Amino acid sequence: MAKKFFDEMPGRNVVSWTTIVNGYLQFGKIEVAERLFFEMPGKDIAAWNSMIYGYLKFGRVDDAVNLFREMPSRNVISWTSMIDGLDYNGRTDEALIFYRKMAGSGVQQSSNTLSCVLKACANVMALHLGVQTHGQIVKLGFCFDEFICSSLLTFYANCKQMDNACKVFNEKLHANVVIWTALLTGYGLNHEHGSALMVFEDMIRMAVLPNQSSFTSALNSCSGLEALDKGKAIHAMAVKLGLDSDVFVGNSLVVMYTVCGNINDAVDAFKNIGEKNVVSWNTVIVGSAQHGQGMLALTLFTRMIRGEVDPDEITFTGLLSACSHSGMLQKARCFFEYISRYKSTVIKLPHYVCMIDVLGRCGKLEEAEELINNMQVKPNSIVWLSLLSACRMHSNLGMAERAADSILDLEPNCSAAYVLLSNIYASAGKWSDVSRMRLRMKQRGIMKQPGCSWVTLRGIRHEFVSADRSHPLSEKIYGKLDWLGGKLKEFGHVPDERFALHDVEEEQKLEMLSYHSERLAIAFGLVATAEGRAITVMKNLRVCGDCHSAIKLVAKIVGREIIVRDSTRFHHFRNGMCSCGDYW
């Protein structure tokens, strides 16, 4: 209709032409807009700026640069559009070159220009230029402009300069939620999650109403701290404000509950999201896979397809991971085949890693090795580590040595390869080979990552290493472990000495197994929490087989659910059973 009126106009001026060009650009019809622009009999600077903006918005960067060079004159909007557009299209270095040219052209910079420059500096961590820009902001009197203040906070946070970000924030009392959220997000970006949550609490105290971005950042910090209690409190606040069904808040809730070991609440949060996007589906599918809920992941994928949401490479990584953790070999083969035929995805390294993991867990080691040798992309150390881990599971020493050699060719100082191969030798009783591996690690200065488990309780993280006696409640913890040891004997538990990976006497082996870090963390949880409450333990390494068997019985003895997240998945122990079905 607009075009019809335009065609019927008895006389058109530059405003008429520019308006119709902008209209076509707004609806993505850039070719029509381009034709009309070049048909325009007389163009003012606004018309040129509109076409440049359109080119940049739709990714035609070179056309924008060429048109900018052809402009008879340029104003602050012309320069700002180029700086922002180049940065938006991933050509940030060029954007900053344009800014330097603008500074030398004599064109007065606006607050919008400086905000765009700060954003570009943040993206490439150009600290020196960003600080110079901050000086220009002070000189021009834009210090208290809200957009400038927010951009400065983001810039300093991206450059790991949180002290300077705080100085900017503290220059005046702010009531703008965007500025508070920029500081909150900055702390999260720098892994200072405790400080981030303090900022969120201060926001509420100052009666600054949080928005979707505020909740998303706060929930991400709860995930970083594995602080379930704080996450639930923030969830309740989001419900009160009617933001729990927002897609960004909802996605963060799913992640938070998944990371904190509560997959049921994660699924409930997912169901409550109003307009689900592909990130929503991927988050809940990957979360289900991590918790060993393979059939749930497949059911969710079916609903995703029925909802006409196109899966991406992350979706298929989650599905293959779900198949791996649940032992669904045939379904994994079907998905792997499907990826190669699906129009919008290609098989990438994460898909290969998952497929090799499935084959390895199911004992198909030769097929897994053949798949690696026939990969369409060059295998990296993670691919070979997946095979090496499977070799340990199935005690295939010959293949383990080949896999370890391949890893060390790619990554000579890979501690995981040395440790896994050493553990395979130890399980086979080849103590001379174990000594040889340990000596080689020592000569190369390679340190084994120590096993560590922790429990987060009332916002405080309690960490334990094997045979650790540094905790203030150590006496009670070891008393509880001794009591559990007696109960385990009554229930017929026999320690599996294969997991005591040192050439020592039997009594020492039993003591080493009894005081693994995950057992200390569980004992602490039993001592420090109310009767009947679930205990969630996190571990940086894979839980050992003997501990896995023992924890199943401990959960039955104490009548509690014990959730253990190791380096690969979550285990939910209840009534003498584990959610993994002893398949991990």
Side-chain angles (χ1 to χ4, degrees), residues 42 55 145 149 173 231 305 411 414 418 475 493 517 527 529 569:
Y55 278 142
D145 180 284
C149 187
L173 191 64
I305 298 301
E411 204 176 321
C414 178
Y418 283 106
E475 192 175 331
H493 174 68
S517 64
V527 167
T529 60
R569 61 170 295 155

Side-chain angles (χ1 to χ4, degrees), residues 225-246:
L225 293 172
E226 295 148 2
L228 181 60
D229 291 343
K230 288 187 177 180
K232 284 182 174 181
I234 292 170
H235 185 182
M237 201 179 303
V239 171
K240 285 180 185 177
L241 294 175
L243 293 174
D244 56 315
S245 60
D246 174 80

Side-chain angles (χ1 to χ4, degrees), residues 38 123 277 341 375 545 547:
F38 285 114
N123 287 339
N277 59 17
R341 293 187 282 107
M375 281 173 59
C547 287

Side-chain angles (χ1 to χ4, degrees), residues 145-159:
D145 180 284
E146 290 178 342
F147 292 106
I148 287 284
C149 187
S150 173
S151 298
L152 277 168
L153 289 170
T154 301
F155 159 68
Y156 281 120
N158 275 33
C159 293

Side-chain angles (χ1 to χ4, degrees), residues 82-184:
M82 287 303 302
I83 293 164
D84 192 40
L86 286 165
D87 180 48
Y88 174 79
N89 284 282
R91 290 164 66 165
T92 305
D93 290 334
E94 289 178 63
L96 296 178
I97 290 169
F98 265 80
Y99 173 60
R100 291 187 180 97
K101 288 179 179 177
M102 178 188 182
S105 71
V107 175
Q108 183 69 39
Q109 299 162 27
S110 68
S111 62
N112 192 34
T113 310
L114 295 166
S115 182
C116 292
V117 172
L118 285 170
K119 186 174 69 170
C121 289
N123 287 339
V124 294
M125 296 177 68
L127 179 61
H128 185 65
L129 180 58
V131 170
Q132 287 181 324
T133 306
H134 190 177
Q136 183 73 355
I137 287 164
V138 173
K139 183 179 174 183
L140 295 173
F142 291 135
C143 290
F144 300 127
D145 180 284
E146 290 178 342
F147 292 106
I148 287 284
C149 187
S150 173
S151 298
L152 277 168
L153 289 170
T154 301
F155 159 68
Y156 281 120
N158 275 33
C159 293
K160 316 297 181 190
Q161 301 273 320
M162 283 310 299
D163 288 344
N164 285 330
C166 286
K167 285 177 185 175
V168 171
F169 182 81
N170 291 328
E171 282 176 356
K172 64 168 283 193
L173 191 64
H174 298 284
N176 187 309
V177 65
V178 176
I179 294 172
W180 280 89
T181 303
L183 183 64
L184 163 61

